[in-house]
Amino acid sequence: MKTIIFYVAGLLCLIATSAKAQTFEERAGIIAKNIERITKQEKDSLKAEVEQVNIQLENKAITKEEADAKKQQLAEVRAKNIETKVALEEEKLSQLVKDKVDGKVKREKFRIVFNESDNDTTVTKELSYKRTTSQFVFALGVNRLVTDDKIDNDNFKWRSDFYEWGVAFNTRVFKNNNLLHAKYGLSLQYNNLRPDNDMMFATEGGKTVLVDSGLDLDVARLRYVNLVLPLHLEFDFTKKQVNGDKTYFPTHKSFRLGVGGYTGFNVKEKQILKYSQDGHDVKTKQKGDFNVSDFVYGLSAYVGYGEVSLYAKYDLQPVFANNDVDSNNLSLGIRFDFN
């Protein structure tokens, strides 16, 4: 009975919160907090479960092989939980972006009203602009691992790739100058590393290494997804528009340059293998802990014209947390900022 009461109370709180959060920013913030909470809860639960397995091992209730198997099974269950729950939040974020594009999300506006006279007829026009605007961000390109200050082209295919999507808010820094903007938001970064020469990723002694798969692999791909908060200073060379004593500040109509960075955390990781066996196509998904760093931070920049830019980002945090040699991810691609 208590469980039902707590469930109903939680549901009512959720409904009440959703009802209050009518603006795009508030709703996006709730989704981000949900994803962070889900990931933290599942990882904390996994840590507690692993500690229990270690206690059983120390008490010699199970063998080391049994302990390793239990840890792997527990990691896969928790990874699946994160993937399933985060996918629901991703759907909410995608729907939120669609609602904003369709004009269904509440937003604040500033309006300028001015009059024009033509042949003794007064025509009233309304010009709407906001000091803070929002964009849907999508980017894609190639990934490269940088190890010992060198790009590793020997162990990975050129098709190692990334794509990123999210929302960004663009605030004009100075009231009457259109050059400098603060750009911030929320993005999901999907990073793929594709080993070459029939190699695959494996964990050995808490470290992640490339090993021979013993298979004729068609596809080997390690995917890890990060939820990040990007922050850029954007220089937008779009000229302001003046009509009489009224001034309008459009954006994304000329050359743009953005420099900044991002910080966030890993939400899921998995390895996908595809190969042929006994005349059958086989696809396996290995979910669990591949030692990918829980937290990520890095530098990023873009330069372009209008809504299209060349885009680069570099993870200052190593991809794998416990390896003896650090490997950092470098991404190069194209970025779209759709108003």
Side-chain angles (χ1 to χ4, degrees):
M1 185 65 182
K2 290 183 178 179
T3 302
I4 296 175
I5 292 174
F6 287 140
Y7 176 81
V8 173
L11 184 60
L12 290 175
C13 290
L14 179 62
I15 293 173
T17 303
S18 299
K20 292 179 181 179
Q22 295 297 318
T23 66
F24 183 85
E25 292 84 353
E26 290 170 335
R27 290 170 62 181
I30 290 173
I31 293 171
K33 289 179 181 178
N34 287 344
I35 294 176
E36 183 177 6
R37 174 181 52 78
I38 290 167
T39 305
K40 186 177 185 304
Q41 286 179 348
E42 293 296 331
K43 290 189 175 182
D44 287 347
S45 297
L46 176 60
K47 183 178 179 181
E49 291 169 344
V50 170
E51 288 177 355
Q52 291 298 317
V53 174
N54 288 334
I55 292 174
Q56 292 178 349
L57 180 60
E58 290 174 2
N59 294 334
K60 298 182 179 180
I62 57 176
T63 65
K64 186 178 184 305
E65 290 73 17
E66 290 173 334
D68 291 341
K70 278 191 174 184
K71 290 178 183 179
Q72 180 64 27
Q73 184 180 12
L74 291 170
E76 290 177 357
V77 170
R78 292 299 173 182
K80 180 62 176 177
N81 289 346
I82 292 175
E83 182 178 11
T84 302
K85 294 177 181 179
V86 169
L88 293 176
E89 298 302 321
E90 290 175 3
E91 289 179 6
K92 292 179 185 178
L93 183 60
S94 178
Q95 185 61 48
L96 177 60
V97 173
K98 291 179 182 178
D99 288 345
K100 182 165 182 65
V101 172
D102 294 338
K104 298 178 181 179
V105 181
K106 180 180 177 182
R107 58 184 181 181
E108 296 182 359
K109 292 183 178 179
F110 297 91
R111 293 188 179 274
I112 297 174
V113 179
F114 59 94
N115 295 327
E116 291 183 355
S117 295
D118 184 16
N119 296 330
D120 297 327
T121 301
T122 299
V123 180
T124 300
K125 291 187 177 181
E126 192 176 64
L127 184 62
S128 174
Y129 76 92
K130 303 180 291 296
R131 187 164 178 177
T132 297
T133 59
S134 60
Q135 292 83 41
F136 173 71
V137 176
F138 179 73
L140 74 165
V142 296
N143 273 343
R144 293 292 182 267
L145 275 192
V146 179
T147 305
D148 287 335
D149 298 324
K150 295 180 181 179
I151 294 178
D152 188 348
N153 290 318
D154 297 328
N155 296 311
F156 297 94
K157 295 181 179 180
W158 67 271
R159 291 188 300 110
S160 294
D161 57 336
F162 83 95
Y163 59 95
E164 174 182 340
W165 64 275
V167 291
F169 304 100
N170 191 0
T171 299
R172 191 171 70 254
V173 174
F174 302 110
K175 183 177 180 180
N176 297 312
N177 189 300
N178 204 32
L179 177 62
L180 187 60
H181 296 250
K183 194 153 189 172
Y184 48 95
L186 179 71
S187 289
L188 279 167
Q189 296 177 344
Y190 292 77
N191 295 291
N192 293 301
L193 296 176
R194 301 174 184 264
D196 204 357
N197 303 316
D198 295 325
M199 305 287 279
M200 59 179 283
F201 285 99
T203 53
E204 296 179 356
K207 299 177 175 60
T208 302
V209 295
L210 285 173
V211 299
D212 189 349
S213 66
L215 301 168
D216 184 10
L217 293 174
D218 298 319
V219 173
R221 179 177 73 216
L222 176 66
R223 169 180 289 176
Y224 59 98
V225 183
N226 294 327
L227 178 68
V228 299
L229 299 172
L231 175 62
H232 295 91
L233 279 179
E234 182 175 282
F235 298 86
D236 192 330
F237 294 91
T238 303
K239 294 182 178 180
K240 63 183 180 182
Q241 298 178 2
V242 179
N243 193 319
D245 61 344
K246 307 300 180 183
T247 303
Y248 174 49
F249 299 92
T251 62
H252 299 76
K253 302 296 183 183
S254 184
F255 287 101
R256 293 184 301 116
L257 168 66
V259 291
Y262 50 91
T263 184
F265 53 91
N266 174 254
V267 294
K268 59 182 176 181
E269 57 202 85
K270 64 181 175 182
Q271 181 167 236
I272 299 172
L273 305 175
K274 293 182 181 180
Y275 53 94
S276 296
Q277 190 175 61
D278 299 328
H280 299 286
D281 293 332
V282 180
K283 179 180 179 180
T284 64
K285 295 181 180 179
Q286 301 172 343
K287 302 176 183 178
D289 187 4
F290 281 92
N291 191 35
V292 175
S293 296
D294 289 335
F295 298 95
V296 63
Y297 60 94
L299 302 174
S300 55
Y302 53 89
V303 59
Y305 186 91
E307 296 180 334
V308 184
S309 306
L310 297 176
Y311 181 45
K313 62 184 182 74
Y314 181 71
D315 291 352
L316 296 175
Q317 181 77 17
V319 176
F320 304 111
N322 301 322
N323 283 10
D324 296 330
V325 179
D326 290 342
S327 295
N328 301 72
N329 190 54
L330 171 66
S331 303
L332 301 171
I334 300 175
R335 172 181 170 125
F336 303 89
D337 294 75
F338 298 111
N339 272 307

